[in-house]
């Protein structure tokens, strides 16, 4: 058993974050096979007595797929309109796929203000505990249609870290389109080397190159590393895996696939 499989195996409460790049295909539409496979894996984890909260990006790309226009419009109001449309599509897909296993989903759309207000945070926490205790899988996203720059969390990596902290999760799994953190951007540099274990985040940042932000994802690798820092303040480990690979969480659990694990200690 390696450290990643050990962390997943020993975690009962797991937050799983799915990036836009994972859910989009080459043409920028939603990759339903990938989403279906992730839901199937979550069902397997639940059968193994684990509790799961999902944080899912992808409303924007679902919106483009649904309405088939505005994909190139840069104006904020159109982006927000696309997210409003796509969020429904996204949840319909989750509802359908989880429904195959008799599992209900519950949607929560959060903004930065929700996480800054103690009273609201407590309500979110109570709602999450109730949903999970009742066997429902919460699917959380940033409320993009009301979030303009000043009040934005900005990326779901940070949101998933806050959710992991306030739910007292045992682990945060971030699914992206790369195998983990590399010493340089693996998309542009063929000689990039995977870093499988990180215990000192500051040292990591001194040692690696961080490329450009992606066209769909808003965060890039930097926000994933900062998410790892946020959860490490609560002693929670974070695992970065390639969500585009079929059965990735199951394979990581059985030690057949690897990624990057941030050990959760400061
Ligand atoms: P997501 O949509 O899954 O949140 P992002 O596109 O925001 O994903 O961030 C992941 C991307 O970060 C990768 O596809 C990769 O090209 C880029 N990246 C830049 N530097 C690195 C690095 N040192 N290690 C890993 N990925 C990196």
């Amino acid at each position: 058993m390696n450290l990643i499989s050990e962390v997943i195996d020993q975690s009962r409460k797991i937050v799983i974050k799915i990036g836009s790049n994972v859910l989009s295909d080459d043409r920028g539409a939603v990759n339903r096979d990938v989403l279906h496979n992730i839901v199937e894996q979550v069902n397997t984890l639940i059968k193994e007595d684990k509790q799961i909260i999902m944080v899912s990006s992808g409303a924007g790309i679902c919106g483009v797929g649904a309405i088939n226009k505005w994909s190139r419009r840069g104006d904020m109001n159109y982006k927000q309109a696309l997210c409003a449309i796509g969020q429904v599509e996204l949840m319909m897909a989750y509802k359908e796929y989880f429904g195959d296993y008799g599992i209900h989903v519950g949607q929560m759309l959060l903004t930065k203000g929700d996480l800054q207000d103690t009273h609201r945070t407590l309500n979110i926490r109570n709602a999450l505990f109730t949903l999970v205790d009742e066997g429902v899988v919460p699917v959380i996203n940033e409320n993009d249609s009301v979030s303009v720059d000043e009040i934005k969390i900005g990326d779901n990596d940070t949101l998933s870290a806050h959710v992991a902290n306030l739910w007292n999760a045992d682990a945060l799994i971030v699914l992206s389109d790369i195998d983990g953190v590399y010493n340089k951007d693996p998309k542009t540099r063929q000689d990039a080397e995977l870093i499988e274990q990180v215990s000192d985040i500051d040292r990591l940042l001194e040692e690696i190159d961080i490329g450009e932000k992606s066209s769909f994802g808003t965060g890039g690798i930097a926000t994933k590393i900062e998410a790892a820092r946020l959860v490490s303040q609560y002693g929670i480990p974070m695992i970065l895996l390639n969500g585009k690979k079929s059965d990735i969480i199951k394979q990581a659990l059985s030690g057949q696939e690897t990624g990057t694990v941030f050990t959760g200690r400061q």
Side-chain angles (χ1 to χ4, degrees):
M1 236 188 200
N2 60 32
L3 186 56
I4 291 188
S5 56
E6 220 169 273
V7 169
I8 302 174
D9 184 54
Q10 287 169 9
S11 297
R12 174 141 198 268
K13 298 163 71 179
I14 304 175
V15 175
I16 299 176
K17 184 258 170 177
I18 308 175
S20 319
N21 281 337
V22 174
L23 289 183
S24 66
D25 63 21
D26 299 342
R27 291 165 297 122
V30 186
N31 192 331
R32 289 187 169 261
D33 293 341
V34 169
L35 184 58
H36 196 266
N37 179 254
I38 291 170
V39 169
E40 191 200 319
Q41 294 179 74
V42 171
N43 176 56
T44 306
L45 294 173
I46 290 172
K47 281 204 300 212
E48 287 170 12
D49 210 26
K50 298 189 188 299
Q51 298 183 323
I52 309 291
I53 291 179
M54 319 266 298
V55 175
S56 181
S57 306
I61 46 167
C62 283
V64 173
I67 200 158
N68 208 12
K69 54 185 178 183
W70 306 339
S71 61
R72 289 180 206 289
R73 297 217 43 158
D75 359 4
M76 180 59 89
N77 49 324
Y78 275 94
K79 282 190 180 166
Q80 291 178 317
L82 272 181
C83 289
I85 296 162
Q87 183 63 29
V88 180
E89 297 291 317
L90 187 64
M91 288 312 295
M92 276 168 60
Y94 276 112
K95 181 176 154 53
E96 182 189 334
Y97 297 152
F98 274 112
D100 289 343
Y101 305 107
I103 296 172
H104 288 285
V105 289
Q107 172 186 262
M108 285 178 88
L109 297 177
L110 305 178
T111 59
K112 194 174 186 177
D114 298 325
L115 298 171
Q116 287 171 336
D117 179 299
T118 322
H119 190 65
R120 283 197 237 169
T121 308
L122 191 62
N123 287 336
I124 296 164
R125 195 178 138 90
N126 288 341
L128 284 176
F129 271 95
T130 306
L131 286 167
V132 173
D133 286 348
E134 294 296 335
V136 177
V137 173
V139 181
I140 302 175
N141 196 1
E142 177 150 25
N143 195 349
D144 287 312
S145 10
V146 303
S147 296
V148 286
D149 275 351
E150 307 82 74
I151 60 160
K152 237 186 176 166
I153 302 163
D155 64 90
N156 276 343
D157 299 318
T158 308
L159 175 59
S160 66
H162 285 299
V163 168
N165 287 346
L166 70 86
W167 185 49
N168 301 112
D170 299 313
L172 168 62
I173 297 179
V174 174
L175 299 179
S176 188
D177 64 345
I178 26 107
D179 287 350
V181 177
Y182 288 76
N183 60 346
K184 47 190 102 162
D185 188 348
K187 292 247 185 78
T188 54
R189 304 286 296 274
Q190 280 190 340
D191 59 340
E193 286 165 22
L194 182 67
I195 299 166
E196 294 196 32
Q197 192 174 325
V198 178
S199 47
D200 186 334
I201 292 173
D202 288 327
R203 220 179 81 199
L204 174 81
L205 287 171
E206 281 166 20
E207 288 170 357
I208 67 167
D209 285 341
I210 291 170
E212 301 275 306
K213 286 182 182 176
S214 73
S215 53
F216 298 120
T218 40
I221 202 68
T223 54
K224 288 165 190 53
I225 296 170
E226 287 315 310
R229 194 197 296 279
L230 274 175
V231 291
S232 77
Q233 285 159 7
Y234 289 75
I236 301 171
M238 186 184 111
I239 298 168
L240 187 52
L241 295 174
N242 191 337
K244 289 217 148 179
K245 288 186 173 169
S246 183
D247 286 340
I248 183 67
I249 304 173
K250 285 196 217 170
Q251 301 273 28
L253 177 57
S254 65
Q256 284 163 304
E257 277 283 359
T258 188
T260 300
V261 58
F262 296 80
T263 57
R265 293 179 293 272
Q266 279 275 57

